[in-house]
Amino acid sequence: MGEIEVQLTDDQADELLRAACMENEDAWVEQFGKILKKDGAVETPVLNYLQEQVCDAIRWCRENEYPCRIIILKPRQKGSSTVTTACLYHMLQRRQSNGLIIGGEFSQTDNLWKITRRYSDYDKMKWPHERPRITNERGAFGNGSILEKETAQDSEAGRSGTFHFVLATEIGRWRDTPARNSAEILTGVMACVPDLPDTAVVLESTAQGPAGVFYDRWNDADDWEHVQTLAKGEWKGRWIRIFAPWYAFEDAKDNLTAVEVEDLRRSLTPTERELLADYKCVDKSGNEHTITISHISWRRKILESECDGDETKFDREFPTTSQHAFRASARTRFSRDGLDWQRTHATAQKPIYGIPELSESGKLVNFRQSSLEEAIVHCFERPREGYYYLVSADLMTGQSQVGGKDPDCHSVLVWRKGFFDRDRGWIPPSMVARLKPECRWDIDVLAEWTYRLAHWYGKCLLVSEINCDRGFVELIRAKGDIPIYQREIFNHVNQKRSKAFGWHTSSSTRLQIEETMARSVRGYGEEGGGVHLNCLHLVSECETFCVNDKGKAEALRGAHDDDVMSAGIGLCVIEQATRYRNRYDDIPLPRDLKKIENRRKRGIATGHLGRRGFY
């Protein structure tokens, strides 16, 4: 049976187009949206890979009755703000709602405000109400919708309103001050959005280092590629993250002749060969995007003209993966390749969780396995006969110094010394156990659990930073049996050397910690070198330990370095680790045998039995 051709009048076709544009953000943008091009021309856009993902995610949430919560890692000049403002404008036109644009600076907010206002000025679609009026300060729509703007410089931004679409731009660059916390401002703004279907919060930002509010929210979100494969009701998450690699855009490749392709192929660098072999993505139409020689040619030109030949700068502006973007936006102190290896290795570890418990006699520590929530210790390798261990401790500052929203923590780690095995070869030093991360116990509680942990690993050496000791070392010494690291100091008064308990961190010893950690992370796979960090929390702190503008290595804003310092201290003195020897507790006799034993002892004492207990 042949197909029936339906003839539509112009009015019917216009009405179908209008209905499609009413329901679909992408249809409206490609029919009625107007953007300002780099050459000053105003034209209707054709959505790219990133922009299609944003429109699809918003529509998917609406159709599946989820509150829409999206976080976008922006590549450079690829239209993220163009499409997010279009989606905001579309909702305000589609139904009565309140919208908010908020940026870290006035210039960021005004830039998005101008884009939205341009959509309104050039919109030729026949909406069922009057044209909106958007001034420099406020937008009013014919259906009752309202558009407002704020900046994160106001600690009370947006708190007085109720919004149905919030567009927050460059949240990775929002600045904290003593009177203003960017994470709190963002949380307060988002609290003004009802947790209902057909509401949206869109966070967009370029990468600003692997730390902070944007990085944390990015890691807590689910990939759009995964979410869109789920049926209604299957997704149990809250945030969707959207990312587009540089090679997915049509303008990121050159037109080459066959000769140019062959010349480029012969001159490929190891990095370029890796790019050609390892990366791909698929768009909504099923088209697979891969890196070709044409992309490599474009990349070389951009490296030379815009990135000064710096591949790190290219990864920051035109990331291949989100990991590339976050790493490249901060100068990490430790080798990126080494950190990648440590993260892969740590991800494969399966720690056991438990509580070190003292026996009745107090002479033995037993490890009772527990749930993660109950656990005191995360163990990656149980103590073994003949291995050498030590405990390193970096203590948080005093309570008067931790009044911030995210104070530092105690870090207590157990290290096993590296060794050569006849069958396996070199086994690097390894972090084999730790007190649970983000520990902020009082000093007496910390001392008790540290004592038990050191006891379990054969009463091994304890190396504790002394700068913020607050009686920690003396509490350990009072319990006895645990050897304490002693540093050598020089007394300038009597010109003699003496010993003092604990590791003292100064400018010189801090450099020693940094260099030891850097050498260990960089030396993975080397005979006699390397380290197994094992713990993802420790690896994450190493990733956020970066060099600032003044050349000093420190934790990024919103991150910590307690584990880094503790690990460095442990590795600096790993050669002094003490040997583990298994110690068994006395097993009590049953009651009946105990009575016989007591009678035997009395018989020996009174002379009724021989000295050996025989008649």
Side-chain angles (χ1 to χ4, degrees), residues 185-395:
I185 294 171
L186 182 62
T187 300
V189 169
M190 293 193 301
C192 298
V193 183
D195 195 28
L196 297 171
D198 204 10
T199 62
V201 177
V202 178
L203 312 179
E204 60 169 18
S205 183
T206 50
Q208 196 65 11
V213 61
F214 179 67
Y215 181 73
D216 292 340
R217 289 189 178 276
W218 178 266
N219 285 331
D220 288 339
D222 295 319
D223 287 323
W224 168 233
E225 289 80 1
H226 167 68
V227 173
Q228 65 183 316
T229 64
L230 304 177
K232 183 176 180 178
E234 289 185 2
W235 184 46
K236 303 303 180 184
R238 179 169 172 80
W239 285 87
I240 297 172
R241 61 187 175 204
I242 293 177
F243 169 76
W246 62 271
Y247 58 86
F249 298 94
E250 288 300 318
D251 59 354
K253 58 184 179 182
D254 292 335
N255 293 320
L256 303 175
T257 65
V259 174
E260 290 172 329
V261 168
E262 191 58 33
D263 288 343
L264 270 170
R265 196 179 296 279
R266 284 196 296 265
S267 64
L268 290 173
T269 66
T271 298
E272 291 170 342
R273 293 181 186 278
E274 180 185 344
L275 289 171
L276 287 168
D278 294 347
Y279 298 99
K280 67 179 180 180
C281 62
V282 181
D283 62 25
K284 69 175 184 179
S285 300
N287 300 316
E288 186 175 271
H289 297 271
T290 58
I291 300 177
T292 66
I293 294 295
S294 297
H295 291 97
I296 296 298
S297 174
W298 179 88
R299 180 178 181 272
R300 287 186 178 183
K301 289 199 304 187
I302 296 299
L303 268 171
E304 182 67 26
S305 62
E306 299 184 26
C307 302
D308 301 321
D310 187 348
E311 293 193 347
T312 298
K313 187 175 181 180
F314 181 91
D315 285 342
R316 181 173 66 247
E317 302 292 345
F318 308 96
T320 305
T321 67
S322 59
Q323 291 82 6
H324 283 84
F326 287 114
R327 289 187 318 180
S329 57
R331 181 186 166 194
T332 54
R333 175 63 180 84
F334 308 126
S335 161
R336 288 198 179 99
D337 290 340
L339 291 175
D340 285 346
W341 187 93
Q342 293 294 343
R343 177 165 287 278
T344 300
H345 178 79
T347 302
Q349 303 307 304
K350 303 297 181 184
I352 57 174
Y353 307 105
I355 301 173
E357 296 181 334
L358 281 172
S359 62
E360 292 183 4
S361 66
K363 296 180 180 179
L364 187 70
V365 170
N366 301 305
F367 186 76
R368 174 173 66 83
Q369 285 192 232
S370 69
S371 65
L372 173 61
E373 293 73 21
E374 184 187 7
I376 299 296
V377 169
H378 298 183
C379 176
F380 301 89
E381 180 184 302
R382 290 176 177 269
R384 297 180 184 179
E385 187 73 38
Y387 287 11
Y388 289 77
Y389 299 97
L390 64 80
V391 174
S392 63
D394 177 78
L395 276 57

Side-chain angles (χ1 to χ4, degrees), residues 40-244:
V42 176
E43 64 179 47
T44 301
V46 176
L47 296 183
N48 60 33
Y49 178 76
L50 173 69
Q51 294 168 333
E52 286 180 345
Q53 289 188 90
V54 174
C55 291
D56 289 346
I58 291 176
R59 183 171 55 251
W60 184 89
C61 289
R62 184 168 66 248
E63 292 174 351
N64 288 273
E65 299 181 349
Y66 288 109
C68 182
R69 305 293 183 262
I70 295 176
I71 184 165
I72 305 168
L73 177 56
K74 294 171 56 175
R76 180 182 173 188
Q77 295 183 341
K78 296 302 180 183
S80 175
S81 296
T82 298
V83 74
T84 53
T85 50
C87 291
L88 166 63
Y89 174 81
H90 186 272
M91 175 184 279
L92 297 176
Q93 285 280 46
R94 178 173 53 83
R95 74 176 185 92
Q96 183 177 351
S97 51
N98 297 329
L100 175 68
I101 297 175
I102 180 170
E105 305 288 342
F106 287 105
S107 59
Q108 295 169 355
T109 303
D110 285 341
N111 181 48
L112 270 61
W113 190 265
K114 290 175 182 177
I115 298 173
T116 309
R117 190 173 181 177
R118 185 178 301 113
Y119 285 134
S120 173
D121 292 342
Y122 286 90
D123 189 3
K124 302 301 182 183
M125 179 170 155
K126 295 179 181 179
W127 296 93
H129 47 260
E130 297 177 0
R131 177 182 293 275
R133 182 173 181 270
I134 302 179
T135 66
N136 291 332
E137 302 297 331
R138 183 179 174 86
F141 289 66
N143 62 350
S145 294
I146 298 297
L147 178 61
E148 299 180 13
K149 63 179 180 180
E150 292 276 9
T151 71
Q153 295 184 10
D154 179 4
S155 59
E156 298 297 318
R159 288 180 178 267
S160 60
T162 298
F163 302 101
H164 306 94
F165 197 122
V166 168
L167 173 54
T169 187
E170 290 296 355
I171 64 170
R173 298 175 182 271
W174 288 11
R175 297 177 182 175
D176 289 335
T177 68
R180 192 174 65 237
N181 182 278
S182 59
E184 284 188 351
I185 294 171
L186 182 62
T187 300
V189 169
M190 293 193 301
C192 298
V193 183
D195 195 28
L196 297 171
D198 204 10
T199 62
V201 177
V202 178
L203 312 179
E204 60 169 18
S205 183
T206 50
Q208 196 65 11
V213 61
F214 179 67
Y215 181 73
D216 292 340
R217 289 189 178 276
W218 178 266
N219 285 331
D220 288 339
D222 295 319
D223 287 323
W224 168 233
E225 289 80 1
H226 167 68
V227 173
Q228 65 183 316
T229 64
L230 304 177
K232 183 176 180 178
E234 289 185 2
W235 184 46
K236 303 303 180 184
R238 179 169 172 80
W239 285 87
I240 297 172
R241 61 187 175 204
I242 293 177
F243 169 76

Side-chain angles (χ1 to χ4, degrees), residues 520-532:
S520 299
V521 171
R522 185 182 65 248
Y524 69 97
E526 293 181 2
E527 191 80 358
V531 66
H532 289 169

Side-chain angles (χ1 to χ4, degrees), residues 505-517:
T505 300
S506 61
S507 57
S508 59
T509 57
R510 183 182 173 91
L511 286 176
Q512 182 184 355
I513 289 172
E514 292 177 19
E515 292 297 334
T516 301
M517 283 291 293

